[in-house]
Amino acid sequence: MKTVAVTKIGSLRDPDESTRGRVGLVDFPDQPLGPEDVRIRVAYAAICGSDPHLAEGFFGTDVPIGLGHEISGVIEELGERANRNGLQVGDRVAGNFLKFCGTCRPCQAGAQQFCEHIQDYNRPGMAETIVWHESQVYKLPDDVSLLKGCLLEPTSVAVRIADKTRVRVGDRVAVCGGGPIGQLALQVMKMYGATSLTMIEPIADRRDMALRHGAEHVIDPVAENQFERTDEITGGAGFDVVIDASGSTRAVKGLLDIAAKGGMVVYGAMYPHDFEMPLNLSDYLYLKELTLTGVFVSPYAFPRALQVLPHLDVDELTEAVFPLDRAEKAFEVHVSGAYPKVVIRCNEIPEETVTS
Amino acid sequence: MKTVAVTKIGSLRDPDESTRGRVGLVDFPDQPLGPEDVRIRVAYAAICGSDPHLAEGFFGTDVPIGLGHEISGVIEELGERANRNGLQVGDRVAGNFLKFCGTCRPCQAGAQQFCEHIQDYNRPGMAETIVWHESQVYKLPDDVSLLKGCLLEPTSVAVRIADKTRVRVGDRVAVCGGGPIGQLALQVMKMYGATSLTMIEPIADRRDMALRHGAEHVIDPVAENQFERTDEITGGAGFDVVIDASGSTRAVKGLLDIAAKGGMVVYGAMYPHDFEMPLNLSDYLYLKELTLTGVFVSPYAFPRALQVLPHLDVDELTEAVFPLDRAEKAFEVHVSGAYPKVVIRCNEIPEETVTS
Amino acid sequence: MKTVAVTKIGSLRDPDESTRGRVGLVDFPDQPLGPEDVRIRVAYAAICGSDPHLAEGFFGTDVPIGLGHEISGVIEELGERANRNGLQVGDRVAGNFLKFCGTCRPCQAGAQQFCEHIQDYNRPGMAETIVWHESQVYKLPDDVSLLKGCLLEPTSVAVRIADKTRVRVGDRVAVCGGGPIGQLALQVMKMYGATSLTMIEPIADRRDMALRHGAEHVIDPVAENQFERTDEITGGAGFDVVIDASGSTRAVKGLLDIAAKGGMVVYGAMYPHDFEMPLNLSDYLYLKELTLTGVFVSPYAFPRALQVLPHLDVDELTEAVFPLDRAEKAFEVHVSGAYPKVVIRCNEIPEETVTS
Amino acid sequence: MKTVAVTKIGSLRDPDESTRGRVGLVDFPDQPLGPEDVRIRVAYAAICGSDPHLAEGFFGTDVPIGLGHEISGVIEELGERANRNGLQVGDRVAGNFLKFCGTCRPCQAGAQQFCEHIQDYNRPGMAETIVWHESQVYKLPDDVSLLKGCLLEPTSVAVRIADKTRVRVGDRVAVCGGGPIGQLALQVMKMYGATSLTMIEPIADRRDMALRHGAEHVIDPVAENQFERTDEITGGAGFDVVIDASGSTRAVKGLLDIAAKGGMVVYGAMYPHDFEMPLNLSDYLYLKELTLTGVFVSPYAFPRALQVLPHLDVDELTEAVFPLDRAEKAFEVHVSGAYPKVVIRCNEIPEETVTS
C-alpha cells in the first residue's frame, strides 16, 4: 500500500542536498482489520506543521517513518464488532489519529490526553487506506466536504485551545502566529466570545488572511510596537486571553506583557525541546496574577470540532492539493510557505457521490 | 423635571379603560448631585418588558412610579469626587440602574447581584436628566450611537445569561422566546460558541427576526412538535444549553425535554410569583443530570457588555422612537407588540456632535 | 457459582409473606474470562439502598436477578491482554460495576455517565467470583482493608456529589439524609471545604452518627423548624451548598428554602419515577439564583475515591457482616434498619495474608 | 498616637548596624473618622513576612513608614453612615487593610484585586487605633479570640490560594515553604480536599509543625531527593496541586517537576523583582499541560476566611506576643526566626470581657 514516509532523516529546509531530509512514497503492508476496527479509503491528508519535525528525527530516526494524521475518507470495511457508533460502509469520515485506551489511570481520571497507550493506533494516513479503531472515527456532517473534512483534526486542536482559555463573552483576545493552527484558533475564538480580536503575525499575507476571517486588528510585531498597539486596541486594559500559535521563541515572552491583569496565556504550539522562557514570577504571576497553560493533545474535543467545522471558512487552507504520487512535491511546496497549508489527495473520491 | 411614570395602577393591557393602568408624564424634582455622582442628560430610554409589570403594582402601588432603566445620554455635570473612572462632562454614556454598595456581605463575597442596598440609586431614567453614582456609569465606545447605547443594560442581561450557561465552543444551543432579551441572548450566544442555534418562538415575525440574526433553525412550538424538531436538529442529542427568555409558564417545562443529557437550562426571564413548575427529579436531575439555574441581575457584566454591544445588530430593536412627551403613545405601541421594542427620545442630542 | 439474587419480585418490606419479594442464593454459571478481563474472588459485597428497588422490579422482573455492585476481593485470574493497569494475580481490589465503552458519543465527549453501553459488564457481585473488564478494577491502597474496600463504590458516589457542588473552601454545607450515602457525603464534604456542616435527619441514631463524623450541627426536620435552625447556624445567610441524600419526597422542596442566595442544591439520591417537585421559578431561580443539579453515576471519580477512602471512618458502616449463605438474613437485617449498612462476606479471605 | 514604623531604610538582617534598617515607635497623628468609617482600638497586630521588605524600601523610602496590616481589635467609634454591615461599637473585629473602590474598571469587572484605588485606606495597624472604611471590617465569630483573630488577613491569603488551585476532592497536594502562609495554606488545603498532603521545607521545626497540623508527608528538599520522594508518595503520579509559599528562587523551578501531568502550580508568595524562572515550555506547558498562576491580593475571600478560621489551629503562630512599646524587640525576634510568627499587643483588651 502506497504511503508517504520520511525516507531520510534531516531538515527538509537544509540547503545542502546531501544532508537534507527526504520524503517519498513507500510501499507499506496493509494494516490488519481487528474486530472493532474500521478501514478507511483516504480521500485527503493534509500536511501538518509538525510533519517536518518528524523528518528531523524528533520522535525517532528509524526510516521509513509513515506520515499523515489529518485525514478524511470513506469507510471501506468494518470489523465485526465495530458497531457502537452507528458507522456504515460508505460513510464519509474523519477522525483522531490517537486512540485512548480507557483503562489506564489518566483515562479513568478524565485526562485522556495523558493516556499511556495513546500511540497504539497512530498509523500513517497519507496512504491509500488506513485502519483505525472505531472510537477514532467520526462521521462528517453532510455539509462538510471531504476536502474540508481533512481539517477536523487541526480544528479539534483549536477547540481544545479554546477550551483552555476559559474565555468569557466579551473578553479581549489576541492570537500570536498566523499559520494554520493560528488561523483556525482565530476563527474559533471569533465564534467563542472574542472581542477586540487581534492577530499578531510578521508576515503580511497571513495578517491579511486573518483580517478576511474575523480579526478586528492585526499587529506586525516586527514593524510595530506591539505593546503600544495593544494599549490602543484595548484602551490600556490588555488582552484577557492571549493564545500563542507561533511556537516562536522570540514571540512567547512578549505575550506576557500584552496580557491583561488576571489574564490567561495559552501556549498552544510546540516549542524547541531545550528552550527556556525566562518568567519573572513577581511581575507576571504575583503582580499581574496571570495564568499560563499549554495544550498537548485534544481529548473530548472532536464531537464539538464536528459542530464547529461547518462554521469555519477554510477555503484558503485547502487551495493547494497534490495527488499522492506527487507527495514529495507537496512537501517542497509546504516548506516553501507559498501556501498556508498543503493537502494530498490520496484517492480520487468524487464529492458528489458521497454527499447526496 | 419631566419624567415618565405610572400614574395609575393596573394592567396596561386591560380592555376596560376604567381599570386599565396608566402611564404619563409627571414633573419630578431634580435629583441632587452628590460628590461621587454624575448628572446625565438622557438621550434615549427604552421600554423594558418589565415596565408594564410595574404598572401592575409588582414592586409597589404608590403612584406616581417613575420609569426607565435602559438609558443612554451625555454627562452634564460631575460631583467633585466623581473622578475614579475617568469620566468627563460631555462623555456619551450608558449604565447600570443598580448601584452595588461594596460593603454588605454579598458584595464582599463577590455576589453583587444580592447587594442589600441595590436600590439606593435606582432612579427613573425616562426623564430629562438622571443622577447616578459614578460606579453605575460607563462611557460608550465611539462606534456605538446613543440610540444603540440605550440597549447596554439589556445587553448586560444577555451577557450574564451567557455567563451562567457555562457554554463550551461547539455546544448546541436553543433560546426560547423571541422578545428583546431572547433576541439579544440569541445574538450573544451566536458569538459565544453556539452551534445548531435555534430560536423557539410561536410568533412568525420574531422567528424571522431570529433567522436574520444568526439562528440556524427556528421552531414554532405551537405548530410543530418541538421534541421531534430538536431530534432532527441535534441528531438526537438534544441541546447542551437551553435558555428561557420567554417567561412563559406554558413553555418552561418542555425545555427540560429538549435539553441534552448533562445539559444546562438557564431560566433567564421573570416568572409569575405563584407559578410552580413541576420538576420530575428522577427524570431530569437523576437520569439526565440536568443543571437548572436562573438570573436575577447582572453584576460584573457591564464591562464586557460594552465590548459585546458593537458586535450586535440591534437596528430592529430601535426602529420605533417616540419623543418624551409622547410617552403614553410609546407605551401603547409597546403593549400592542407592533414593534419588538420601543424607545423614548428624552432629549434631542445630535449623534454627530458627540461621536466626533 | 453461588450468587445472591432476587428470586421473587415484590417489596422486601411487604408484611404479607405471600406477596413479599424474596432474595436468596442461586447457582449461576461461571462468567467467561475475556482477553482484557479480570476474575476476582469476592471478599465482601455490601448491600446498597438501591438493591431492594431491584427486588421491586425497578429495572426488570425476570427472576432470578443477580445482586451486588459494592464489592472488594482478590484477583484470581487475568485475561491475556489485561495488562494496561499493572494489575497482578493476588492484588486486593475494588471497582466500578459499570464499564464505559470509550467509543460511543457521550464517552468521546467526556460524559461517560451517559455511556450507551454502560451495562455491558454489570454482573452480580454478591457471588463467589466476578469477572470485570480491567478498566473497572482498582487496586486498593495497602492501608485499606478488604472490608473497608467494599465501600469504594459508594465513596465514588460521594466524590461525584462533591464534584458537582462546586464548593469553595469556607462555604456552608448541609446534607439531608443520614443513610450510608449521606454519611459518606458528609465525611467527604468535611474534607472538601465545608463549614457550618449540618446533617438534616429525622432519626436520632443517624444524627448522632453524623456528629461523631464531623457534623458541626444536626437538625431534626420533624421536631425542629429547619428554617429557623438554618438561620441560627448560618447567621441568616443560608447554606451555600445543600446536598440531598435522602430521596425523600417530603424533604426535597424545603431544601430550596435553606439554601443561600446563589447557592447550589445537589439532588444526589434516587427519586420515585412519578414524583414531581413543585419548583417556584420566581422565588428560587430568579430571585435567589439557585442552581439545581443531580447525580446519576460516577465517572472519572474512582481514582480520587481511592485517595479519599483512607481518610474516611466507615467502621460503623461495616459492623454487620453476614456470610454468603446467610444472604437472606442479611437482607432482612438491611430492611430492618438495625444497622446503617449490611455487608456480605462472599469468601473468607484473611486480611493479613494480603496486606503484608 | 503611638505607631510602629520603619524609621531607617535598610535590611533588618544587615549585620552592620550602621546600614541596618530600623523599626521603632513613632507618634503619628490620629486618623480622621469619615462618615462611613470605623475606628478600631487595636488588640493585636501580627508581623508579616513582607514587613521587613518595607524596611528595605520595597514600596518607598520616605521614612517613617507605618507598619501593620494583620490586626484585630474592638470597635471604638462609628461614622454616621457606617451602618451597612450591622457593625456596633464594642464589636470584636478584624479585616482587610485594602479597600476596594467599587467604581474603577477592575472592581466593576469582578477583579477587585486590581482595584486602582486599593491603597486609599491602607493605614498602619501596629498602632493604638486604626480607622478603616466599614467595608474593610469583619466581625469575628464568638469562638475566635482577638489573638487568633489577628490572623484573619493571612488566612484570607490562604483561602485565596486555595481558590486558585481549583482542587478537586482527592487530589494530591504539596505545599512548598513552612512559614506562616505555608502552614496556613497547608491547614486550609487539609480541609479543602487534599490527600497525600506534603510539606516541602528544609527547616526541621517547620516540617514538624506541618506534621502536627495535617501533613501526611514531609520532604526535606536539601537532604532528600524530592523527585524520588514525590514518586514514592504519589505512586508515580506527581502532585495534582503544588503551592509555593516559600518565595525561594532555589525552590520554584523544581516544583514543575513534582507536579502531576495536567497539574496546577500556584506561586503564592512574593518573589524578587528581578528574578526570572527559566520555564521550559515544551516540557511543562506542552507535554505536561501544567497550569501556572499566582496570587496578588485576596478579594472576595474574607467572608469565607471568617468561616475557615475557627477550624484552624494557629496556637503555634501566636505564641510570641510583645507589647507595643517593645515592637523593636518583636521585630528582632521575628528576624531571628525563633518563632514561626510574632505578634504585637497594641492594647490590653481582656478576651473575657468581649466574648461573653
Side-chain angles (χ1 to χ4, degrees), chain A residues 40-58:
Chain A
I40 300 162
R41 181 147 297 269
V42 181
Y44 296 98
I47 299 178
C48 171
S50 67
D51 287 335
H53 294 309
L54 274 73
E56 291 162 15
F58 194 93

Side-chain angles (χ1 to χ4, degrees), chain B residues 199-222:
Chain B
M199 171 61 77
I200 303 168
E201 164 62 55
I203 300 175
D205 282 355
R206 293 177 167 193
R207 290 197 302 274
D208 291 345
M209 183 174 168
L211 286 169
R212 284 192 294 274
H213 295 97
E216 296 172 54
H217 310 277
V218 291
I219 298 176
D220 175 347
V222 173

Side-chain angles (χ1 to χ4, degrees), chain B residues 44-52 54 59 66-72 94-98 122-127 130 132 149-154 156-157 181 270 302 341:
Chain B
Y44 297 97
I47 299 179
C48 172
S50 67
D51 287 335
L54 275 73
F59 291 115
L67 293 173
H69 59 271
E70 304 179 354
I71 72 155
S72 62
N96 190 351
F97 66 106
L98 300 171
N122 185 359
R123 281 96 177 244
M126 284 184 192
I130 190 170
W132 272 344
C150 76
L151 297 186
L152 180 64
E153 196 277 339
S156 80
V157 175
I181 293 294
M270 291 177 72
F302 274 77
K341 201 164 179 76

Side-chain angles (χ1 to χ4, degrees), chain B residues 58-59 105 109 113-114 160 164 166 168 172 234-237 252-253 261-265 267 269-283 285-299, chain C residues 58-59 105 109 113-114 160 164 166 168 172 234-237 252-253 261-265 267 269-283 285-299:
Chain B
F58 194 93
F59 291 115
R105 187 165 48 186
Q113 66 269 38
F114 305 123
R160 170 90 161 122
K164 293 211 80 174
R166 295 181 171 277
R168 298 174 305 168
R172 298 170 177 94
T234 67
V252 290
K253 187 158 179 277
K261 287 182 174 181
M264 168 70 83
V265 185
Y267 287 99
M270 291 177 72
Y271 303 89
H273 270 155
D274 54 359
F275 169 68
E276 293 187 322
M277 179 179 79
L279 176 63
N280 186 306
L281 297 181
S282 183
D283 286 349
L285 300 199
Y286 172 66
L287 290 171
K288 282 184 81 168
E289 284 200 359
L290 296 185
T291 301
L292 281 59
T293 193
V295 169
F296 177 46
V297 297
S298 307
Chain C
F58 194 93
F59 291 115
R105 186 166 48 186
Q113 66 269 37
F114 305 124
R160 171 90 162 122
K164 294 211 79 173
R166 296 183 170 274
R168 299 174 305 168
R172 297 170 177 94
T234 66
V252 289
K253 187 157 181 274
K261 286 182 174 180
M264 169 68 81
V265 185
Y267 287 99
M270 291 177 72
Y271 303 91
H273 270 155
D274 55 357
F275 170 67
E276 292 187 323
M277 179 179 82
L279 175 63
N280 186 307
L281 295 181
S282 184
D283 287 349
L285 299 199
Y286 173 65
L287 291 171
K288 282 185 82 167
E289 283 198 2
L290 295 186
T291 301
L292 278 62
T293 194
V295 169
F296 176 47
V297 295
S298 306

Side-chain angles (χ1 to χ4, degrees), chain C residues 157-186:
Chain C
V157 175
V159 166
R160 171 90 162 122
I161 288 172
D163 285 354
K164 294 211 79 173
T165 63
R166 296 183 170 274
V167 71
R168 299 174 305 168
V169 69
D171 275 351
R172 297 170 177 94
V173 178
V175 176
C176 174
I181 293 293
Q183 298 287 348
L184 290 171
L186 180 95

